[in-house]
Amino acid sequence: NSRLDALKARPSKPGEASFFYRDHHFSTDAVKILPGEYYVTTEDMVIMTGKSRCLYQFPLSLYCEKTTWNLETKGIAYTHVNLIPGPHMLTAWRLAGIRTLPVLLDGNVAVGDSTDIALYLEKTYPSPSLLPANPEQREAVLSLEQYFDDIGDHVRRCVWSLAVDSPRVNEIFFRGYTTRHPVLERLLRPVLRQMIRRTFDVRPARV
């Protein structure tokens, strides 16, 4: 594995993770994050923490934010990896068989979709509980959650309709990423605008 050999041979910065290996469960390269270490990458790679719990996300996503709220409200320790839109589908599909984020990797269990992750966390880490025990009340809460998911799609479309033509659209879209490429982003700005309009259905009739 030439990439794995290159990663192992590369000098690491102070505090940067340096334990690279082949994860046979997911059939891909992986890096082990030990306590006090960090690792930043845009490559298709599994990130394994001390607790082996990692959230693959977009920084600017209401669904990823919902999963963050779930994890933090339950007091569950985790790390996160910000994936680049587009190439993210490789990681999401390999881990959870879907093309969207968030995806939570909890040990050898990968769960995609913010609602499915919430239900998984409620079952696996029941305390504190975020859902009522009463079946009717539980169903009512889940129906309300779905309602606000649908509303969120419309709010997101409205917000992007106001931001898509801004000269700062790159800054807005890539907010939260530690590695930026200003020149490349400037060149790709028209492509980014087209992708936003297509992905979020930003059309006058829909807005």
Side-chain angles (χ1 to χ4, degrees):
N1 186 324
S2 57
R3 183 178 74 161
L4 199 57
D5 292 338
L7 287 168
K8 290 179 178 180
R10 188 186 66 180
S12 58
K13 301 175 183 177
E16 186 179 20
S18 58
F19 185 78
F20 301 97
Y21 66 99
R22 185 70 179 175
D23 189 293
H24 296 288
H25 179 79
F26 293 108
S27 299
T28 189
D29 296 338
V31 57
K32 179 75 171 180
I33 309 291
L34 300 175
E37 291 185 336
Y38 73 94
Y39 191 71
V40 178
T41 183
T42 58
E43 297 184 48
D44 182 27
M45 177 181 291
V46 168
I47 309 294
M48 301 298 286
T49 69
K51 291 183 177 295
S52 299
R53 188 179 301 114
C54 184
L55 176 64
Y56 293 82
Q57 65 164 13
F58 299 133
L60 197 65
S61 164
L62 68 161
Y63 299 110
C64 295
E65 185 69 14
K66 185 173 75 175
T67 297
T68 297
W69 291 344
N70 264 270
L71 288 162
E72 293 182 354
T73 302
K74 281 184 167 291
I76 299 172
Y78 71 99
T79 58
H80 70 267
V81 174
N82 296 328
L83 297 181
I84 301 297
H88 79 275
M89 290 189 287
L90 296 172
T91 300
W93 183 260
R94 175 174 47 75
L95 292 177
I98 61 175
R99 292 184 171 85
T100 59
L101 296 180
V103 169
L104 177 68
L105 180 62
D106 188 16
N108 286 334
V109 177
V111 187
D113 182 84
S114 59
T115 299
D116 289 345
I117 292 173
L119 294 174
Y120 166 80
L121 292 175
E122 189 70 7
K123 180 180 179 181
T124 309
Y125 307 97
S127 180
S129 177
L130 302 183
L131 286 174
N134 180 281
E136 292 183 1
Q137 293 178 345
R138 183 185 182 96
E139 186 61 32
V141 170
L142 292 175
S143 295
L144 194 62
E145 185 258 1
Q146 183 59 56
Y147 170 77
F148 281 109
D149 269 1
D150 295 339
I151 292 294
D153 283 341
H154 296 296
V155 172
R156 179 177 60 184
R157 184 179 300 112
C158 179
V159 171
W160 276 119
S161 73
L162 300 174
V164 69
D165 291 316
S166 167
R168 299 176 61 192
V169 64
N170 293 68
E171 179 184 341
I172 296 169
F173 190 85
F174 289 107
R175 182 177 299 168
Y177 290 91
T178 55
T179 303
R180 299 284 301 277
H181 304 282
V183 175
L184 181 60
E185 289 177 15
R186 187 168 60 252
L187 293 173
L188 293 177
R189 189 176 295 154
V191 177
L192 176 61
R193 288 185 170 129
Q194 183 180 6
M195 186 197 76
I196 290 172
R197 289 191 171 96
R198 183 178 65 252
T199 302
F200 304 124
D201 199 15
V202 180
R203 297 178 291 119
R206 292 287 286 159
V207 174

